[in-house]
Amino acid sequence: MKTLHLETLDLTPVRMGWDIPPHINRTVKGTPLSIAGQRYERGIWMNAPCSIPLRLDGQARRLRCGFGHEDLVQSANYEAPRLRFQVELDGEIQFDSDWMASGDPARYLDLDLSEASSLILRIVPENAQVGNAQGNWIHPELDYAGAVPFLELAAPEEAPALPPPDGYSSFLPGQRWFDTDGVPIQAHGAGLLEVDGTYYMYGEHKGGTTSFWPKSRVDIIGVGVYSSQDLMNWKNEGIVLPATPQDPESPLHPSNVLERPKVQYNARTGNYVMWVKSQDAHYSWGHAMVAQSDSPTGPFEIVSSERPWKDRSFGDFALYQENGTGYLIIATGKVETTFVYRLSPDFLRIEEELSAAYPGEKREAPALLKQENLYYLITSGKSGWAPNPTRYATATSLEGPWTDQGLLFVGDEDENSFRSQPTFVLQAGEELIYMGDRWDQRDLGDSRYIWLPITLKEQTLSASWQDSWTLRQHSDLSDPSESSDPNSPAS
Ligand code: GAL
């Protein structure tokens, strides 16, 4: 009988979703493995959910190992979901640790493998949407006779959907969405703008590798824009605010974060004004980047990049205009409140605070709509990349007061907005459209778009899940009603 230390196996084909294998004898930061203050020389670090499948063919006798949460997460003060450590033999779970919390001491396992032909070591996070689900297998070893076990990897679970050969004739929420070149659309945290019957969609290009320390993020590529006449088939118009790899001091340096671009046309100056949430990789600043261009397809030039207030961070926001006056609706951090501000006449600066919705509440992802003299403010809760219930509030004036009206979605049994977070609400002809992101924090560029029709009845908004849907009146698309459309250039 021989002893095989599992960390000596080549685990490079095992993937944790960020396209990296588990780490051997070290954490993601390169530090030694540590559980509840105890350091370990040998082991396997994994970011859950992650499985190591081994073919044993009845050659192995016992598995011995320790396991527990990696301390690194706790020490860095990141939210860490509870984890369970499981061992599966021939398709049956033979060991299940139950939920273990960050800081719990390591536990040990000595399992009879009695002729098993396959073994899976698995770590499962309680909430798969929360990052930093880091666990360690400590000194894992097998007693075995005969051949060394080898990895047995399952085929990738999902074959990518293909674009319809003749283009889209319906919205397919949650499915991969391809542009007119057949390439997946990269427009996350998007904002829409209608100009003379053409829709422009501005969004985060997250088509790079997702890294996951200190948080899930992708190096900045830039703000991309797509154009469409029917809102379903989108042509890539390129990057209108690109990253600046040559300038490490710039907030547009790839090492930072750029999110949720929104654009409004300013009839006074003839410029398209873009606001973007700009952050460092730790999400510790929260600046407003303002850029403008004389064309909807850019290029956009930065006008300013600063935190407008000392006591509030610049969080998720919406832009809105009415009768040529611009407004910023912003979920600020530190002072956790969603504020409405009036912008300067050129839309480049914040001028005056008008009202506060949800004072003291952590809200995010605001989107604003006006219908028949009532303002509807849609927001998510605040839970990072993890989805949560979407609510809306109404007011008869942008000066408030705002009244919460409850949940937007019906039939949303998991209370996670059908796994999405709002980014925009669009009035297109007769149709009101909820636009949200289904963030995939393991591969942010593959986050899906959840667009759903909103029903408005007796001043009540509601939306429900649709696998596939179409606009009621295509012909009305380029004729949004004037006064109430936040998205078309002021005339
Ligand atoms: C979300 C926010 C996203 C992104 C994410 C990072 O709540 O809406 O735009 O910033 O947090 O965790």
Side-chain angles (χ1 to χ4, degrees):
M1 195 68 61
K2 292 172 234 167
T3 302
L4 175 76
H5 300 297
L6 287 185
E7 76 280 1
T8 61
L9 289 175
D10 177 11
L11 297 180
T12 42
V14 175
R15 282 292 188 266
M16 299 194 300
W18 300 281
D19 214 29
I20 60 160
H23 289 203
I24 304 301
N25 302 341
R26 64 182 177 85
T27 68
V28 64
K29 290 209 95 181
T31 51
L33 304 179
S34 166
I35 298 172
Q38 177 76 43
R39 295 196 148 205
Y40 301 92
E41 289 298 309
R42 293 197 287 109
I44 301 170
W45 171 93
M46 300 195 338
N47 199 97
C50 181
S51 300
I52 301 176
L54 293 173
R55 176 140 295 278
L56 306 173
D57 287 331
Q59 309 279 6
R61 297 290 171 265
R62 300 201 84 76
L63 165 71
R64 280 181 303 274
C65 62
F67 53 88
H69 271 256
E70 166 55 45
D71 286 340
L72 181 65
V73 179
Q74 204 193 24
S75 60
N77 239 341
Y78 289 106
E79 183 191 358
R82 296 194 299 170
L83 301 177
R84 59 204 303 160
F85 297 76
Q86 296 178 333
V87 181
E88 191 177 299
L89 298 179
D90 295 337
E92 303 260 327
I93 294 176
Q94 293 295 334
F95 171 79
D96 186 347
S97 68
D98 210 336
W99 295 117
M100 289 174 71
S102 181
D104 284 355
R107 288 169 53 193
Y108 293 88
L109 168 69
D110 184 344
L111 195 68
D112 182 0
L113 301 183
S114 52
E115 325 267 299
S117 57
S118 72
L119 161 79
I120 299 177
L121 284 180
R122 181 187 294 123
I123 309 183
V124 185
E126 186 170 27
N127 179 350
Q129 294 292 331
V130 175
N132 308 306
Q134 303 178 20
N136 303 324
W137 296 101
I138 296 301
H139 300 173
E141 56 192 35
L142 287 181
D143 291 344
Y144 76 106
V148 173
F150 57 91
L151 282 171
E152 190 183 47
L153 294 166
E157 65 174 59
E158 187 197 17
L162 293 173
D166 300 323
Y168 290 96
S169 52
S170 57
F171 295 98
L172 303 169
Q175 295 198 20
R176 222 167 251 142
W177 200 350
F178 296 88
D179 65 17
T180 50
D181 297 324
V183 176
I185 292 174
Q186 284 294 336
H188 308 285
L192 268 81
L193 178 74
E194 192 260 345
V195 182
D196 299 333
T198 297
Y199 285 93
Y200 292 93
M201 173 161 66
Y202 301 86
E204 307 159 20
H205 193 307
K206 285 195 169 331
T209 304
T210 303
S211 58
F212 53 97
W213 186 268
K215 283 195 158 197
S216 277
R217 58 172 287 283
V218 173
D219 277 4
I220 295 180
I221 296 169
V223 174
V225 63
Y226 293 78
S227 65
S228 174
Q229 262 73 44
D230 64 8
L231 292 167
M232 290 177 285
N233 297 284
W234 292 94
K235 177 172 179 280
N236 186 352
E237 301 277 0
I239 304 279
V240 290
L241 186 67
T244 56
Q246 69 286 0
D247 181 4
E249 301 303 317
S250 166
L252 284 174
H253 188 262
S255 59
N256 294 314
V257 168
L258 198 62
E259 292 179 332
R260 295 181 173 271
K262 302 287 176 279
V263 176
Q264 287 280 336
Y265 176 70
N266 186 300
R268 203 172 271 112
T269 62
N271 283 325
Y272 295 84
V273 179
M274 178 188 292
W275 286 59
V276 202
K277 183 175 104 178
S278 158
Q279 311 254 22
D280 68 356
H282 291 260
Y283 283 78
S284 57
W285 344 302
H287 279 53
M289 187 184 288
V290 183
Q292 63 179 353
S293 171
D294 58 11
S295 156
T297 51
F300 283 77
E301 301 284 334
I302 297 187
V303 177
S304 63
S305 179
E306 58 196 18
R307 180 180 279 184
W309 320 275
K310 282 204 181 73
D311 63 336
R312 304 170 188 182
S313 68
F314 193 86
D316 295 352
F317 68 95
L319 292 183
Y320 173 78
Q321 69 169 292
E322 195 176 314
N323 302 327
T325 303
Y327 300 89
L328 170 78
I329 300 91
I330 171 112
T332 58
K334 313 248 189 276
V335 176
E336 302 285 354
T337 295
T338 305
F339 291 101
V340 179
Y341 289 94
R342 197 184 51 244
L343 297 177
S344 57
D346 55 12
F347 294 180
L348 299 178
R349 283 172 299 103
I350 291 168
E351 230 169 49
E352 192 193 351
E353 182 184 315
L354 298 183
S355 61
Y358 297 109
E361 277 186 50
K362 293 187 174 184
R363 309 289 314 160
E364 274 194 335
L368 189 78
L369 178 74
K370 186 185 185 192
Q371 293 286 296
E372 291 173 1
N373 295 322
L374 196 62
Y375 296 91
Y376 296 84
L377 172 61
I378 295 171
T379 56
S380 75
K382 191 170 184 173
S383 50
W385 296 118
N388 55 57
T390 298
R391 307 182 71 82
Y392 72 100
T394 54
T396 50
S397 154
L398 289 174
E399 301 193 355
W402 292 94
T403 309
D404 178 54
Q405 303 292 355
L407 299 174
L408 172 66
F409 291 108
V410 291
D412 175 29
E413 273 159 27
D414 296 334
E415 298 187 352
N416 59 17
S417 309
F418 304 115
R419 290 201 284 136
S420 76
Q421 185 183 29
T423 187
F424 202 79
V425 61
L426 178 74
Q427 181 190 356
E430 298 279 283
E431 201 89 45
L432 302 177
I433 308 178
Y434 163 87
M435 299 179 178
D437 297 282
R438 177 174 288 176
W439 299 115
D440 179 348
Q441 63 171 308
R442 290 177 186 80
D443 183 0
L444 282 167
D446 196 28
S447 299
R448 304 296 167 82
Y449 308 96
I450 307 296
W451 290 20
L452 293 167
I454 296 179
T455 306
L456 173 60
K457 238 187 227 152
E458 289 160 11
Q459 305 194 330
T460 301
L461 298 182
S462 65
S464 58
W465 179 256
Q466 318 279 330
D467 288 331
S468 153
W469 62 282
T470 49
L471 294 164
R472 280 181 295 230
Q473 290 172 309
H474 289 260
S475 54
D476 277 2
L477 261 189
S478 52
D479 182 27
S481 79
E482 284 158 24
S483 65
S484 58
D485 178 23
N487 316 300
S488 61
S491 45

